[in-house]
Amino acid sequence: MNCKSMKIVIVAQVFLCILCSNLLQAQDLFQTVRGRIIDQDSRMPLPGANVVVIGSDPILGSSTDLDGAFKIEKVLLGRISLIITYVGYEEKVIPNILVTSGKEVVLDVALNESLTKMEEIVISADKDKSEIANEMALVSARGFTVEETKRYAGSFNDPARMVAGYAGVSGDASGNNFIIVRGNSPKGIQWRLEGIEIPNPNHFSDEGATGGPINALNSAMLANSEFYTGAFAPEYGNALSGVFDMRLRKGNNEQHEYSVSVGALGTEATAEGPFVKGGKSSFLLNYRYSTLTILDELGLVDFDGVPKYQDISFKLYFPTRSLGTFSVFGLGGKSSIISKEYDEEDEDKLLEQGDYQADMGVVGVTQYWPVGAKTYLQNSLSVSQNGSGYVGYEPDDQSNLVQLDNAQLDKNTIKASTTLNHKFDARHNLQAGIIYTHHYFDFYNEYFESSTNSFVINQNIDGDAGHYQGFVSWKYRPWEDLSFVSGVHAHSTTLNDELSIEPRVSMRWQFHPRQALTASWGIHGKMESLTNYYSIITDEAGNVSKPNIDIGFSKARHYVVGYENKLGINLLFKAEAYYQQLYNLPVENLAGSSYSLVNQVEWFTDRRLVNEGTGENVGLELTMERYFADNYFFMVTGSIYDSKYKAMDGVERDSRFNGNYIGNLLFGKEFEINSRGDKKKVMGINTKISLLGARRYTPIDLEASIAEGKTVWFEDRAFSERGDDVFIANLGITYRIDRKRTSQELKLDIQNVTNSAARIEQYYSDLTGKVEWQDQLPLLPVLIYTLHF
């Protein structure tokens, strides 16, 4: 984006903000907080539970009805905390709930049954606010709220960027949404939506990649979700380094609500409400279109390479009397860009042009079906599509564009699953499920090889493949403060005969009211991207084959121990040490080769592979977090780690992602400004300061690259060099105005405010015949205006 286009977007949004402020009428400021309370294990409603606004005077509260529903009216705007109590269950605190005038607060809360049946409950706000919804995940798990995705500076309301502030997690400083966890490749991440594995939800992404510059899923659609950095519960299969488990919130089933937002990254609208007034069904819908595309179509911007994208997401919720509840959800995105490279000395001379497009979509239905007071089924069926295409050109002597690259990688997927959950009693809970995935794909890729003056085809397949998964998980609580989760995950594929059996066990011991120890061990395997299996490889004699069809799952044994200490009501210290033993990694089947898929981030390889690679990741992660209270929060995270691998040459090397250390400091504070009965104004300031250890890279053989017209590396020195350490300082400033029935927010999110320019890694440019550097993303201000009504 150039300076001229950015100014146009900023001026337009500021003008819209001022206009809307003058149109709104002043009235009293209250809002409704409501929701539903259920049992954590059986998901049955809990009638008669008490819900109280902590610190309210006079006391505001409500009791749940036969459906577990509660409603608290006339709650003052601002931030509140709720405490939920129910005889025979552990009390629960929901902290830092933002109450605004533009939207009702609707919550779904699950309570754990107590092993000691309590006759009387003493209300206390000193509870752990870091717990997550998934009771089977005891270790290396972090829950996050929608509000957090908006609060962290530099996240651009994108959950994928937000998690880069957590211990052991780093993003990509060049601006991609790669998520690097504990030194692993971002390809080890699994994306999930509504409990179902989905394709990569990022715009401008490649088949086989897990990154992309902009996430297609808007944070306005999310309910509370979880992120896992290792030692996953038995239900999570086909993931090696991390799991991003996202859930969509239910639309308001009592009244219609809307929001519109205009920003440099997109113009969007959200609508939600009941299908029928007085009914229990609801809908939620969001659509976003690239703001730069709008400005380009209006002729207000004038530069090459305008990123064009749009996305849509929705959730429809239908409760029934006899078959439980049904949710229909969907997410889709399309993106394209035409990039052009011009001569540095002659700006009118085109050297290269690339036309890139990508798309993804998923539509699914889930059913929660209670089949007894302590048993329910969770069924799901989804259909998804994802693909990417690229056509590259160079001009000939007559300036006619000649095609040199042509790729189209498309995949369609059908996925079905069923999970049985049975609660025997407060001590025992059993979960078992099966998942079947079937892929239909069409892969084609060819490129012009200048050394042979001919085209090389390394993908050309139209086929299908299946993936079977099953799991059993058992949670056992011998005492109130001690929990064990054990189980096994098994999976296989129709591509070959491999069957992976993956036992797992974890423990959490709350040995002191404020302190806990955790531990976990498990085996985890992941299927490689399908394009790697179907690479066409030509040997020196000119014979072609697909030798990688038999490669097995990449695997790792995860060992984790942790310690937690509640140093205060809102202050938590957490430490985790881990060791990951990687094995069965696909590496090049060539003596002396240093190539391993453990370093791959996207696309596919045209090398012969065999599962004889190994590796290890070892590290220590520290977190000091002060939850948002008294109008401020902070979080300090630090990670030291070492990531190694071995390929067929037998040499232990640093992996591509072995940065050795990560440090983050996040701080935010809110200030009330000139608030009165009919208007509430709040300003917020958030910062995030990060230091990332340098990315490793393999040095480039310039002479050989010039001779062959493509990048040639010194592979005997694989990942022996380091780029620069990366310093990133982000700043977010928000200004919110609440009036009766409406809420406005103007947010300025600035990434890399110091405009640091660390060198990340090298690449060879056949246009300049030089080795060039890829730098970190420069200073990028993003202005967003949102109106809720």
Side-chain angles (χ1 to χ4, degrees):
M1 181 185 304
N2 63 17
C3 183
K4 177 181 177 182
S5 61
M6 177 61 73
K7 289 180 178 178
I8 292 172
V9 175
I10 293 174
V11 171
Q13 293 179 88
V14 171
F15 175 77
L16 182 58
C17 178
I18 296 172
L19 176 62
C20 292
S21 297
N22 293 332
L23 292 176
L24 299 174
Q25 302 297 317
Q27 299 179 41
D28 293 336
L29 296 177
F30 296 104
Q31 186 54 275
T32 297
V33 176
R34 60 187 182 88
R36 191 166 180 260
I37 310 299
I38 61 174
D39 179 279
Q40 173 76 60
D41 298 323
S42 69
R43 295 184 62 176
M44 297 299 290
L46 298 179
N50 294 311
V51 185
V52 175
V53 179
I54 296 176
S56 56
D57 187 16
I59 293 178
L60 289 175
S62 174
S63 295
T64 57
D65 60 18
L66 291 177
D67 293 325
F70 72 91
K71 177 183 286 189
I72 306 174
E73 298 180 321
K74 291 192 175 298
V75 178
L76 286 173
L77 303 190
R79 295 185 182 272
I80 65 167
S81 295
L82 296 179
I83 187 163
I84 299 101
T85 57
Y86 187 64
V87 173
Y89 282 73
E90 299 173 8
E91 69 177 44
K92 188 166 189 174
V93 172
I94 311 295
N96 186 38
I97 302 169
L98 179 60
V99 182
T100 64
S101 56
K103 293 182 66 64
E104 285 189 344
V105 176
V106 183
L107 303 170
D108 287 312
V109 183
L111 299 185
N112 271 320
E113 186 175 0
S114 175
L115 296 182
T116 304
K117 301 297 183 180
M118 296 174 288
E119 298 298 329
E120 180 181 0
I121 298 175
V122 178
I123 294 178
S124 169
D126 188 12
K127 289 291 180 180
D128 184 7
K129 304 174 182 63
S130 64
E131 62 183 21
I132 66 169
N134 188 345
E135 61 167 338
M136 296 293 183
L138 304 181
V139 179
S140 298
R142 168 66 192 243
F144 63 90
T145 66
V146 179
E147 206 260 333
E148 281 183 284
T149 66
K150 298 177 180 179
R151 185 196 310 152
Y152 288 7
S155 68
F156 304 147
N157 297 348
D158 184 341
R161 296 183 183 276
M162 179 206 65
V163 299
Y166 297 159
V169 184
S170 64
D172 183 73
S174 65
N176 207 309
N177 257 347
F178 288 143
I179 302 174
I180 301 166
V181 179
R182 295 178 171 175
N184 289 285
S185 166
K187 290 193 70 174
I189 293 289
Q190 180 185 113
W191 293 95
R192 292 167 68 96
L193 184 64
E194 293 291 281
I196 298 173
E197 182 179 356
I198 64 171
N200 178 5
N202 287 293
H203 287 298
F204 303 101
S205 63
D206 295 323
E207 160 62 27
T210 57
I214 301 168
N215 199 298
L217 183 58
N218 193 295
S219 65
M221 298 290 291
L222 290 178
N224 291 355
S225 304
E226 283 102 36
F227 184 72
Y228 303 91
T229 56
F232 319 122
E235 68 180 279
Y236 296 111
N238 202 35
L240 203 63
S241 65
V243 176
F244 214 130
D245 196 355
M246 302 176 292
R247 299 181 182 90
L248 299 175
R249 62 184 180 88
K250 292 184 293 188
N252 193 322
N253 65 352
E254 292 189 1
Q255 67 181 34
H256 290 91
E257 296 176 335
Y258 308 93
S259 68
V260 293
S261 181
V262 181
L265 294 182
T267 299
E268 65 184 87
T270 305
E272 62 183 288
F275 284 103
V276 179
K277 189 174 182 179
K280 295 184 178 181
S281 299
S282 66
F283 70 89
L284 174 65
L285 173 68
N286 175 271
Y287 175 74
R288 177 173 56 177
Y289 196 79
S290 166
T291 301
L292 280 180
T293 303
I294 296 174
L295 296 176
D296 179 60
E297 293 173 349
L298 293 174
L300 298 178
V301 295
D302 182 21
F303 61 91
D304 292 318
V306 173
K308 299 182 178 182
Y309 56 89
Q310 57 184 314
D311 48 65
I312 187 170
S313 52
F314 65 88
K315 182 174 181 177
L316 314 178
Y317 177 73
F318 304 100
T320 68
R321 290 184 178 180
S322 58
L323 295 177
T325 59
F326 291 85
S327 295
V328 181
F329 69 94
L331 170 66
K334 293 182 67 67
S335 53
S336 64
I337 189 170
I338 298 177
S339 61
K340 297 181 179 181
E341 187 79 23
Y342 291 91
D343 192 288
E344 294 181 358
E345 298 180 356
D346 183 358
E347 296 182 355
D348 295 325
K349 184 179 180 181
L350 179 67
L351 299 179
E352 184 179 71
Q353 177 175 310
D355 298 355
Y356 178 81
Q357 60 84 24
D359 51 75
M360 69 79 57
V362 57
V363 176
V365 57
T366 61
Q367 178 196 26
Y368 159 67
W369 188 8
V371 292
K374 295 185 176 182
T375 307
Y376 69 87
L377 285 171
Q378 188 84 37
N379 303 313
S380 67
L381 177 66
S382 67
V383 179
S384 64
Q385 185 276 335
N386 66 298
S388 58
Y390 177 79
V391 181
Y393 305 91
E394 285 186 8
D396 59 16
D397 295 338
Q398 286 75 41
S399 298
N400 297 314
L401 290 179
V402 178
Q403 180 178 305
L404 299 181
D405 299 276
N406 181 26
Q408 189 65 49
L409 308 177
D410 294 315
K411 183 175 69 179
N412 298 287
T413 301
I414 299 174
K415 187 180 294 287
S417 68
T418 183
T419 300
L420 172 71
N421 192 297
H422 179 71
K423 176 182 179 179
F424 292 95
D425 51 38
R427 299 180 187 274
H428 301 273
N429 191 58
L430 179 68
Q431 187 181 76
I434 55 175
I435 307 164
Y436 179 68
T437 305
H438 203 86
H439 302 288
Y440 299 90
F441 49 86
D442 188 359
F443 300 150
Y444 184 81
N445 180 68
E446 67 173 357
Y447 65 92
F448 184 76
E449 179 66 70
S450 58
S451 60
T452 61
N453 197 35
S454 63
F455 280 90
V456 175
I457 298 175
N458 53 14
Q459 289 282 329
N460 188 13
I461 183 70
D462 180 359
D464 65 291
H467 185 199
Y468 302 88
Q469 298 179 75
F471 67 90
V472 176
S473 184
W474 171 48
K475 183 175 182 180
Y476 173 51
R477 300 172 66 201
W479 300 290
E480 190 85 31
D481 299 323
L482 180 63
S483 298
F484 294 94
V485 172
S486 59
V488 62
H489 190 104
H491 56 141
S492 64
T493 173
T494 59
L495 293 172
N496 48 54
D497 297 328
E498 181 172 0
L499 171 65
S500 181
I501 307 295
E502 301 167 4
R504 302 168 190 181
V505 61
S506 59
M507 177 274 295
R508 178 181 177 86
W509 178 29
Q510 192 84 32
F511 66 91
H512 183 275
R514 292 177 178 268
Q515 300 179 67
L517 291 175
T518 58
S520 185
W521 171 85
I523 296 176
H524 308 272
K526 188 177 190 310
M527 183 178 177
E528 295 297 332
S529 61
L530 283 171
T531 48
N532 281 317
Y533 290 91
Y534 290 100
S535 295
I536 297 175
I537 299 174
T538 305
D539 62 19
E540 295 180 355
N543 300 313
V544 297
S545 62
K546 300 186 184 75
N548 296 337
I549 197 72
D550 291 324
I551 60 174
F553 300 130
S554 297
K555 296 184 180 181
R557 298 183 184 94
H558 288 195
Y559 305 81
V560 183
V561 293
Y563 169 73
E564 298 176 11
N565 192 332
K566 283 294 300 298
L567 300 175
I569 293 178
N570 297 300
L571 188 63
L572 173 71
F573 171 78
K574 182 177 181 178
E576 278 196 346
Y578 64 88
Y579 173 68
Q580 297 179 349
Q581 184 183 20
L582 282 64
Y583 64 101
N584 214 49
L585 302 179
V587 295
E588 185 176 19
N589 189 15
L590 180 66
S593 173
S594 63
Y595 183 85
S596 172
L597 282 192
V598 76
N599 299 301
Q600 191 182 57
V601 296
E602 55 192 349
W603 210 234
F604 60 89
T605 182
D606 57 358
R607 307 186 189 215
R608 296 175 182 271
L609 302 175
V610 61
N611 290 97
E612 295 188 16
T614 60
E616 64 176 22
N617 303 311
V618 59
L620 174 66
E621 301 166 356
L622 305 175
T623 300
M624 179 74 76
E625 181 173 8
R626 205 269 185 185
Y627 303 117
F628 200 109
D630 304 319
N631 295 319
Y632 79 96
F633 82 97
F634 68 79
M635 182 167 68
V636 181
T637 65
S639 309
I640 53 174
Y641 64 99
D642 195 37
S643 177
K644 304 289 189 181
Y645 82 98
K646 284 184 182 180
M648 291 297 285
D649 61 0
V651 178
E652 185 178 68
R653 303 177 184 274
D654 292 301
S655 78
R656 179 177 186 175
F657 310 101
N658 191 17
N660 294 129
Y661 45 82
I662 308 168
N664 296 288
L665 169 62
L666 293 88
F667 175 81
K669 184 170 178 59
E670 289 187 348
F671 308 87
E672 285 196 16
I673 302 174
N674 192 29
S675 296
R676 59 178 189 267
D678 63 343
K679 183 189 299 184
K680 185 179 181 68
K681 298 180 180 179
V682 177
M683 175 170 282
I685 297 178
N686 298 288
T687 61
K688 178 187 175 186
I689 300 173
S690 303
L691 178 65
L692 312 178
R695 176 97 48 97
R696 310 271 178 171
Y697 68 90
T698 301
I700 294 173
D701 185 337
L702 180 58
E703 292 185 3
S705 298
I706 294 174
E708 296 193 24
K710 63 179 181 180
T711 306
V712 178
W713 292 273
F714 289 108
E715 295 199 1
D716 59 334
R717 294 155 55 189
F719 305 104
S720 60
E721 303 290 336
R722 294 174 62 104
D724 298 333
D725 287 347
V726 177
F727 175 80
I728 306 174
N730 301 328
L731 175 65
I733 302 174
T734 59
Y735 182 60
R736 189 177 70 248
I737 302 175
D738 285 302
R739 296 178 185 264
K740 181 77 171 183
R741 300 183 184 279
T742 61
S743 177
Q744 303 172 79
E745 183 177 81
L746 186 65
K747 179 179 181 180
L748 177 62
D749 207 344
I750 308 174
Q751 184 155 340
N752 194 8
V753 292
T754 62
N755 202 28
S756 300
R759 293 181 167 185
I760 299 175
E761 60 184 352
Q762 293 181 339
Y763 66 95
Y764 169 71
S765 172
D766 61 346
L767 298 177
T768 63
K770 299 178 181 178
V771 174
E772 309 283 0
W773 280 97
Q774 181 183 24
D775 295 338
Q776 77 179 91
L777 188 71
L779 184 149
L780 177 61
V782 174
L783 189 67
I784 306 171
Y785 169 74
T786 304
L787 172 65
H788 300 282
F789 58 98

